[in-house]
Amino acid sequence: MTYPTIHKDPADLRVTPNLPAAGWPGFSWAVARSWLDGLPDGAGLNIAHEAVDRHAAGPRAGHVALRWLGRHGERLDLTYADLARRTSAFAHALERLGTAPGDSVFALSGRVPALYVAAIGTLKARRVFCPLFSAFGPEPVRQRMAIGEATVLVTTRTAYERKVAALRDGLPRLRHVLLTDVPADAAPPEGTLSFAALVAGEAQEYAIAPTDPETPALLHFTSGTTGTPKGAVHVHEAVVMHHASARFALDLHPEDVYWCTADPGWVTGTSYGIVAPLTHGVTSIVDEADFDAERWYATLREERVSVWYTAPTAIRRLMRLGGPAQGALAAPALRFVASVGEPLNPEAVVWGQDALGLPVHDNWWQTETGGIMIANTAAADVRPGSMGRPLPGVEAAVLRRGPDGVLLADGRAEVLGPGVGGELALRPGWPSMFRGYLHAEERYRRCFAGGWYLTGDLASRDEDGYFWFLGRADDVIKSSGHLIGPFEVESTLMEHPAVAEAGVIGKPDPVACEIVKAFVVARPDAAGDGGLTRELLGFGRARLGAAVAPREIEIVTELPHTRSGKIMRRLLRARELGLPVGDLSTLEGGEIP
Ligand code: AMP
């Protein structure tokens, strides 16, 4: 079913949108850079200064920067001045611990204030901040900390004991583990320090050293079809995009109360859950608790959230529960709702209108782009099912994918016209573009061709420049908004003594977009089917954590292979969906090398 365009009537909008419906003629990245201050005396650009220190030194010092809602009803407001003091103390502590600029500070923590302090304090000290999702199991944590050469880990006692302590010998670069839930006067477990004790005596002012905008700032891990996770490196210059895109795509205004539901363990939760709203000087809601429909509606209502950035899976879960009860959103301050991370079905856009009184504005970006690229914006008409149009300064195109990649024989990419599906590509040059995959130069180079950055997504464009998502060009899995590499799951399952071979796919799911499903060939001497399935589900969960582990396992007698012996995931997926298998040559992209 096609859904009619939702027209915006300027009279219905409660504020004047930052980005006019007609776009921003004359926009350049230099214009966006001029919206930021830069370090005093022309000493460069540092995310922490733009996010916190410049507000703490001005009229917004007393404005609430973060309003933390604890899982059990606790509340904590941190003003910009508070945040400046706490992050300064953490920056000093990093120096006192003997770390050097460029060292990486990892976080494995739920949404607690110390996580936000650690992120900004790390950037102040020009160390590199790398968040990990707290629902990762020991294996994803170990791999990422090893690739990222973690020097410091900020985590909780339980996460440390369950996921890190046993791995520590394999992480020789890890020098300090800081526990956020050990009080300053309590004894931390051996080999760790109390975060509170560490920062307690530190000075609360910190002068950020000159920072070249190309200095690495953030490391975000993402997954490909094959191989180990990829560490995408982002630099301080990215803040130009964080700020500009939040202005355009999230329509942030100074008095907004903003709530990003993404976890900082993923790129959205850092770029738009920590950095971007702070650069705008707004109040951000940080909810420690996980999804709970009643709690969420109450938060929107009682905290007077005006701009809400969430995920399609969350919207679909709310839809399933039937929307807010009558009056649950009475007198809402809510004026703009956006979502990202996976396809937003048109029904969800329209549901927003009925249940929340506002359409949900889909937008698109990925770890590598570092910021929102394509969006449905506040002033523009919404075409339900479309990701929207490229933001000012972003050039997007759909390229033909030839049988041997996207390039034509003469080395130039062919840009396709309206209505034709192909690979979504972006013209390099926006400020938050990743600067490389850590220790994987060749993988980085393969992302570019013919003067374009290739996103790995398939899309089409219509006559009016709206982009429509068609799917992934590779086999990565999107589950509840989280990108999962099938190879990582397969490799872990193969470590179980009963597993001879494993092939992992994303199985479509009406709420989570996809769930991880594994097909496993058991070793001849393995126990019977029912017991083994249960055993492997538990094994996957213990090693990989709930966010990555397979939710379904099917024991099969063999897996489909190409002539060269690679497993064909797409064939597994086609069979799972009951689709015709078609020409096997098109399955090459989904093979396991
Ligand atoms: P990540 O790097 O984990 O943020 O995942 C990025 C990927 O999520 C993209 O390459 C897309 O495949 C998918 N994605 C993000 N936003 C959207 C969207 N609005 N519609 C469809 N897919 C999306």
Side-chain angles (χ1 to χ4, degrees):
M1 166 168 181
T2 48
Y3 288 78
T5 298
I6 298 170
H7 296 288
K8 300 282 178 63
D9 182 346
D12 293 342
L13 303 173
R14 275 179 255 170
V15 296
T16 305
N18 291 326
L19 183 65
W24 192 298
F27 176 83
S28 71
W29 294 118
V31 170
R33 172 67 182 77
S34 75
W35 295 334
L36 300 175
D37 287 1
L39 286 171
D41 306 320
L45 188 67
N46 185 297
I47 296 174
H49 176 79
E50 304 305 328
V52 175
D53 284 9
R54 66 172 179 149
H55 301 306
R60 288 191 100 68
H63 195 75
V64 175
L66 298 178
R67 170 158 296 155
W68 178 70
L69 310 177
R71 201 182 291 280
H72 306 293
E74 314 90 312
R75 293 173 74 84
L76 177 71
D77 278 358
L78 291 179
T79 64
Y80 280 90
D82 293 333
L83 207 49
R85 286 191 284 269
R86 291 188 186 213
T87 55
S88 290
F90 187 68
H92 283 298
L94 287 176
E95 289 182 355
R96 191 162 53 81
L97 288 174
T99 66
D103 281 351
S104 50
V105 176
F106 275 57
L108 177 68
S109 157
R111 293 178 292 275
V112 294
L115 172 67
Y116 295 75
V117 169
I120 299 292
T122 298
L123 298 172
K124 272 191 171 174
R126 294 174 303 141
R127 276 63 171 165
V128 178
F129 182 67
C130 179
L132 298 177
F133 190 39
S134 56
F136 278 158
E139 187 51 25
V141 169
R142 186 196 62 76
Q143 277 211 342
R144 286 159 178 76
M145 294 223 300
I147 297 169
E149 297 172 350
T151 308
V152 176
L153 173 67
V154 177
T155 187
T156 59
R157 187 180 196 128
T158 316
Y160 176 70
E161 285 169 351
R162 287 206 191 137
K163 301 178 185 177
V164 184
L167 310 171
R168 211 156 161 184
D169 286 348
L171 298 167
R173 302 282 298 255
L174 182 61
R175 299 205 328 256
H176 308 287
V177 174
L178 316 180
L179 302 185
T180 56
D181 53 353
V182 173
D185 55 0
E190 200 192 328
T192 67
L193 296 168
S194 151
F195 184 98
L198 181 74
V199 294
E202 297 294 350
Q204 301 200 332
E205 280 185 5
Y206 182 93
I208 298 176
T211 310
D212 184 318
E214 287 301 309
T215 308
L218 298 163
L219 178 64
H220 285 293
F221 280 92
T222 183
S223 299
T225 306
T226 61
T228 51
K230 303 180 279 189
V233 178
H234 293 279
V235 298
H236 281 271
E237 173 89 2
V239 70
V240 176
M241 185 80 209
H242 295 149
H243 184 81
S245 56
R247 177 174 179 146
F248 293 146
L250 303 177
D251 200 40
L252 287 185
H253 285 60
E255 296 317 311
D256 276 322
V257 175
Y258 165 79
W259 183 22
C260 171
T261 61
D263 188 272
W266 303 91
V267 72
T268 305
T270 301
S271 297
Y272 296 98
I274 305 179
V275 177
L278 293 175
T279 69
H280 282 271
V282 303
T283 298
S284 265
I285 301 293
V286 174
D287 186 7
E288 186 191 15
D290 292 329
F291 176 89
D292 172 331
E294 266 178 44
R295 182 179 170 108
W296 279 30
Y297 288 130
T299 301
L300 289 171
R301 185 179 65 239
E302 284 158 24
E303 304 304 333
R304 301 198 55 75
V305 172
S306 54
V307 176
W308 191 36
Y309 194 24
T310 188
T313 293
I315 302 273
R316 287 191 288 267
R317 290 174 81 176
L318 293 175
M319 285 169 76
R320 278 219 155 170
L321 297 170
Q326 196 100 46
L329 271 180
L334 201 59
R335 66 167 181 83
F336 188 73
V337 180
S339 87
V340 72
E342 27 165 345
L344 183 70
N345 35 324
E347 297 78 10
V349 178
V350 173
W351 173 85
Q353 269 204 312
D354 296 341
L356 309 172
L358 299 161
V360 182
H361 294 73
D362 188 20
N363 60 51
W364 178 96
W365 61 292
Q366 56 181 196
T367 303
E368 288 84 347
T369 71
I372 301 169
M373 298 279 110
I374 296 174
N376 286 286
T377 55
D381 292 344
V382 173
R383 298 195 173 166
S386 159
M387 312 188 287
R389 289 181 293 185
L391 292 183
V394 173
E395 187 187 349
V398 176
L399 306 184
R400 180 182 302 285
R401 276 177 70 84
D404 52 353
V406 293
L407 290 184
L408 291 183
D410 66 358
R412 284 186 304 144
E414 182 187 349
V415 176
L416 297 170
V420 191
E423 176 136 359
L424 177 62
L426 301 161
R427 186 74 78 191
W430 68 94
S432 62
M433 195 179 89
F434 72 134
R435 301 299 200 260
Y437 290 128
L438 204 61
H439 315 310
E441 183 56 30
E442 176 53 27
R443 277 176 120 180
Y444 177 67
R445 262 203 305 277
R446 283 206 304 267
C447 296
F448 300 88
W452 294 94
Y453 163 69
L454 310 173
T455 67
D457 280 1
L458 303 176
S460 69
R461 180 175 61 82
D462 67 22
E463 278 93 16
D464 302 307
Y466 283 77
F467 283 74
W468 301 73
F469 182 79
L470 299 174
R472 282 290 303 188
D474 58 18
D475 285 341
V476 294
I477 299 163
K478 257 284 155 140
S479 188
S480 298
H482 305 145
L483 199 72
I484 296 166
F487 182 73
E488 195 172 352
V489 182
E490 286 156 357
S491 317
T492 299
L493 289 176
M494 298 278 289
E495 283 170 23
H496 190 282
V499 175
E501 202 173 23
V504 167
I505 62 161
K507 175 180 170 179
D509 181 84
V511 174
C513 186
E514 291 181 324
I515 58 161
V516 178
K517 170 157 188 178
F519 295 87
V520 167
V521 179
R523 290 195 184 280
D525 50 353
D529 182 17
L532 182 57
T533 308
R534 260 195 316 280
E535 156 81 15
L536 291 178
L537 284 170
F539 178 80
R541 234 181 129 83
R543 293 281 179 106
L544 294 163
V548 184
R551 290 253 298 273
E552 264 184 35
I553 290 186
E554 188 174 327
I555 309 291
V556 292
T557 48
E558 59 176 345
L559 292 173
H561 295 93
T562 60
R563 247 166 288 152
S564 57
K566 299 168 183 173
I567 297 173
M568 293 188 292
R569 297 193 189 102
R570 288 187 192 183
L571 190 53
L572 288 172
R573 201 173 137 88
R575 282 187 189 157
E576 177 71 31
L577 298 179
L579 296 174
V581 170
D583 175 7
L584 287 194
S585 65
T586 61
L587 298 170
E588 290 296 307
E591 295 166 359
I592 303 171

